[in-house]
């Protein structure tokens, strides 16, 4: 009598739920990746112009409305971005854990103060910081005085419509025109020259 064969081991396939969870985690990691360069694609076939200097822009006729950005700031105050309509708004997505964010922060502090009386407002989105304390110290060290919405889960970034110049990395900078529409984006840390290059044309628009 031949010896009994051992049962074949079954190769287990990952469940559909596991695949979905894995995909979500990969997407979250990509979204929160901190580096000098981000993914330059806008998604959705937006009519944007990709600049060689890491700045993407949209012709005025093709711009999409910016989403409402509201919630609590790092100082636990209520904030609503719709109150800024009629002004050029610079939205900077940052995290205190992000080296490129630390590098560009003093520039944002400087330019925001110089343009405060010229109908240009700055707004920060503090993303992926589990505690407020470190983020508050980050702003203090950089000299930042404009408000930053506290967004530890990164949900505010997802409010930007698909096919627009939406933030896809940290840091990201979005500039919104006087009509409340998304006009320019950078997915890299900015020098003062590049930051002003994003803002100046919108200040001149009628």
């Amino acid at each position: 009598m031949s010896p009994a064969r051992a049962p074949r081991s079954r190769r287990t396939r990952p469940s559909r739920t596991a695949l979905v969870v894995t995909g979500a985690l990969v997407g979250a990691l990509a979204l929160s990746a901190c580096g000098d360069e981000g993914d330059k694609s806008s998604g959705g076939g937006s009519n944007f112009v990709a600049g060689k200097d890491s700045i993407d822009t949209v012709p005025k006729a093709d711009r999409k409305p910016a989403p409402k950005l509201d919630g609590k700031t790092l100082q636990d105050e209520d904030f609503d971005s719709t109150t800024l309509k009629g002004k050029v708004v610079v939205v900077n997505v940052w995290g205190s854990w992000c080296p490129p964010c630390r590098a560009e922060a003093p520039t944002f502090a400087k330019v925001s103060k110089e343009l405060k009386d010229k109908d240009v407002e700055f707004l920060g989105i503090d993303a992926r910081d589990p505690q407020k304390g470190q983020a508050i110290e980050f702003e203090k060290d950089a000299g930042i005085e404009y408000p930053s919405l506290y967004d530890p889960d990164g949900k505010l970034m997802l409010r930007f419509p698909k096919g627009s110049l939406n933030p896809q990395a940290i840091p990201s900078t979005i500039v919104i025109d006087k009509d409340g529409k998304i006009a320019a984006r950078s997915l890299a840390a900015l020098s003062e020259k590049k930051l002003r290059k994003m803002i100046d044309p919108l200040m001149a628009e009628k």
Side-chain angles (χ1 to χ4, degrees):
M1 182 180 295
S2 60
R5 293 183 179 179
R8 293 183 179 179
S9 59
R10 293 186 178 179
R11 190 177 290 178
T12 57
R13 295 182 179 179
S15 67
R16 183 175 181 180
T17 301
L19 291 173
V20 171
V21 171
T22 301
L25 288 173
V26 170
L29 287 172
L31 186 64
S32 62
C34 179
D36 291 324
E37 295 291 338
D39 178 7
K40 297 298 185 294
S41 63
S42 71
S46 174
N47 294 323
F48 74 93
V49 179
K52 294 181 180 179
D53 52 6
S54 78
I55 298 172
D56 302 326
T57 59
V58 181
K60 190 171 183 178
D62 296 329
R63 294 173 190 167
K64 296 190 175 185
K68 176 180 178 180
L69 301 171
D70 63 334
K72 293 288 187 180
T73 67
L74 286 171
Q75 286 70 36
D76 205 33
E77 297 176 349
D78 292 322
F79 185 87
D80 184 340
S81 64
T82 59
T83 61
L84 303 179
K85 192 169 182 179
K87 299 182 178 183
V88 174
V89 181
V90 181
V91 181
N92 179 238
V93 183
W94 60 274
S96 65
W97 43 268
C98 169
C101 300
R102 290 196 293 271
E104 71 176 1
T107 294
F108 278 76
K110 176 179 182 290
V111 176
S112 67
K113 292 170 186 175
E114 293 176 354
L115 298 183
K116 181 70 175 177
D117 297 329
K118 297 182 179 181
D119 286 336
V120 178
E121 296 287 345
F122 279 63
L123 171 64
I125 297 179
D126 175 31
R128 310 291 184 185
D129 264 321
Q131 302 292 334
K132 287 184 179 181
Q134 187 172 338
I136 291 172
E137 285 299 314
F138 172 99
E139 288 194 322
K140 183 178 179 181
D141 291 343
I144 291 175
E145 297 178 357
Y146 54 83
S148 282
L149 289 166
Y150 183 52
D151 188 28
D153 299 323
K155 292 180 178 179
L156 290 176
M157 297 173 69
L158 301 178
R159 290 188 183 181
F160 285 82
K162 292 181 179 180
S164 71
L165 292 182
N166 51 328
Q168 298 175 6
I170 299 173
S172 287
T173 299
I174 307 291
V175 184
I176 300 168
D177 67 18
K178 298 173 185 177
D179 295 323
K181 296 183 177 181
I182 303 168
R185 175 190 68 179
S186 173
L187 299 178
L190 292 169
S191 64
E192 180 174 347
K193 181 180 180 180
K194 289 184 177 181
L195 177 58
R196 289 185 179 275
K197 185 177 180 180
M198 295 177 72
I199 300 171
D200 290 349
L202 300 180
M203 292 175 61
E205 286 184 352
K206 301 299 184 181

